[in-house]
Amino acid sequence: NTPRDGELARRVGEAQVAVGLGRIYQVKSGNTEGAIFNDIGAESIVIGPGKSVGNIHAPNEYNEISQLKKAVEFYTAFLRQFC
């Protein structure tokens, strides 16, 4: 329910582009606290490294080291927008 033209989505998109990921937004079924935050009026986005479909909450769930490194780049670019 977070608007794609809102500040949070805009800043996430800018960080994605800054690290070469492209501005990608998807809606995915899953269980996170994101909906709870949205229900109380706070924008939320669930984002993280790795393959989700067929991988998360499954036996032998994994992330590749390259995905973790790209996540560090993304989070750094995202947080630098606020500092």
Side-chain angles (χ1 to χ4, degrees):
N1 294 330
T2 297
R4 290 185 182 192
D5 60 350
E7 181 180 8
L8 179 60
R10 180 179 52 80
R11 288 181 182 254
V12 165
E14 289 171 5
Q16 288 174 313
V17 169
V19 300
L21 292 174
R23 195 176 302 258
I24 302 167
Y25 302 105
Q26 293 177 302
V27 175
K28 182 187 167 305
S29 299
N31 188 12
T32 72
E33 293 80 7
I36 295 168
F37 291 121
N38 282 358
D39 285 347
I40 62 171
E43 293 182 359
S44 63
I45 291 180
V46 177
I47 191 166
K51 177 183 173 192
S52 61
V53 177
N55 185 39
I56 61 170
H57 311 302
N60 300 317
E61 178 178 348
Y62 69 93
N63 274 307
E64 296 176 7
I65 297 296
S66 62
Q67 295 165 335
L68 296 173
K69 288 179 179 179
K70 185 58 78 169
V72 170
E73 289 178 39
F74 164 79
Y75 292 125
T76 300
F78 178 72
L79 292 172
R80 284 195 172 141
Q81 295 178 62
F82 299 95
C83 299

